[in-house]
Amino acid sequence: MSRILSAGQHVVSAMHVHLVFVTKYRRGVFDDEMLTRCEEIMRKVCEDFEAELKEFNGERDHVHLLINYPPKVAVSKLVNSLKGVSARRIRQEFTGRINRAIMYGHLWSPSYFSASCGGAPLAIVRQYIEQQKRPL
């Protein structure tokens, strides 16, 4: 089910994050089949966090994800799970294509890019807050 707003018992939210994961040493290891499997794995991890993988794509050395997630989820915990589970499964399923000697047993670089996205631009939010009628 595709939604913009997520509703809980006491909260309505529209939280989206754009994530980019890069392979260790930017090694170009992915092909179409591996990216398709990586998307399936990451989609399942998102479901486990009650989040939704809205968009996924990648190139030989990195992947981009757009995820809608609930406020109770810490992005860092989601990232750790996405990278950990996908690395384990991809290395198990595509052992012959990932040279462990070159990547030292790792699929992903330890760093990642994360940006919140969606909603109004910051200037509009700032203007809205400034225009609130503060009591004297």
Side-chain angles (χ1 to χ4, degrees), residues 82-100:
L82 285 165
K83 289 173 79 174
V85 172
S86 63
R88 247 185 336 275
R89 298 252 173 89
I90 294 293
R91 284 195 328 260
Q92 287 170 352
E93 297 175 23
F94 298 95
T95 304
R97 298 189 206 173
I98 297 177
N99 185 342
R100 290 181 183 224

Side-chain angles (χ1 to χ4, degrees), residues 8-53:
Q9 190 171 1
H10 300 286
V11 65
V12 175
S13 65
M15 299 170 65
H16 292 80
V17 64
H18 173 203
L19 299 172
V20 180
F21 303 153
V22 177
T23 58
K24 186 81 170 183
Y25 308 118
R26 286 205 76 117
R27 300 281 195 239
V29 297
F30 291 123
D31 59 18
D32 183 59
E33 180 185 7
M34 291 173 77
L35 287 170
T36 299
R37 182 62 181 129
C38 191
E39 178 179 3
E40 292 167 358
I41 293 164
M42 291 184 170
R43 193 168 298 283
K44 175 67 173 99
V45 170
C46 285
E47 288 172 11
D48 293 343
F49 277 81
E50 298 177 17
E52 182 181 5
L53 180 58

Side-chain angles (χ1 to χ4, degrees), residues 61-121:
D61 63 355
H62 70 278
V63 296
H64 289 263
L65 301 87
L66 176 62
I67 299 173
N68 177 309
Y69 65 99
K72 66 182 179 181
V73 171
V75 173
S76 61
K77 291 192 183 305
L78 177 59
V79 166
N80 286 341
S81 192
L82 285 165
K83 289 173 79 174
V85 172
S86 63
R88 247 185 336 275
R89 298 252 173 89
I90 294 293
R91 284 195 328 260
Q92 287 170 352
E93 297 175 23
F94 298 95
T95 304
R97 298 189 206 173
I98 297 177
N99 185 342
R100 290 181 183 224
I102 293 175
M103 299 177 73
Y104 301 101
H106 298 281
L107 175 62
W108 301 115
S109 164
S111 58
Y112 63 93
F113 169 82
S114 171
S116 61
C117 52

